[in-house]
Amino acid sequence: MILPIYLYGSAKLRNENQEADLQDREGLTKLIADMEETLKEADGCGLAAPQVGVNLRLVIVDGRDLTETYDYLKDFRRVMINPVVLEESEETCEFSEGCLSVPGIYAEVTRPSKIKVEYYDENFEKVVEEFDRFACRMVQHELSHLEGNLFVDNVSPIRRKMIARKLQAISKGTVQTRYKSKK
């Protein structure tokens, strides 16, 4: 089922997110399937449960459609249940980011170049994995949602001022999306 994606200004994006109950395999499997369908319909590369109004620590990252730009992502798809960042590099890098919850806005964001994450995959098996390059960027962006943060929270003050009017329009619900969305 395609779920509505909550937009900037919604409290759902800022709420505290609880650990998913790994014993609820049926419920989590259904949520993962719905999130994947929603992500595909919205033509995105990542989606966190809070973005669809579910305040659980669950993200999906899928870079397979980005292989024209990043050929190393040809098989990159991860479902991460209850992810925890174990390590972050001191080295940082800057990339332009966008978000399905903040439609039409893109901005440069600085994040660690490498991270190590522990999580449960869709088979409910524990995984510890290191990420770098754009895969790292996608994972960090989605994990930020689990902390109630959006990429626009991390932009420079001048850029924040430049996008303030657009953010206000999104929070008022006066923007159109090509996917099912909710304020």
Side-chain angles (χ1 to χ4, degrees), residues 144-163:
S144 290
H145 281 291
L146 302 182
E147 304 308 322
N149 296 318
L150 301 172
F151 82 96
V152 292
D153 299 334
N154 302 317
V155 300
S156 68
I158 188 76
R159 182 68 176 137
R160 180 87 174 171
K161 229 176 189 168
M162 293 170 61
I163 62 175

Side-chain angles (χ1 to χ4, degrees), residues 63-74 95-96 133-135 138:
R64 295 175 297 182
D65 288 341
L66 303 173
T67 56
E68 273 189 33
T69 307
Y70 306 107
D71 62 341
Y72 55 88
L73 295 176
K74 68 181 172 94
F95 274 104
S96 180
R133 300 187 287 177
F134 200 71
M138 292 188 303

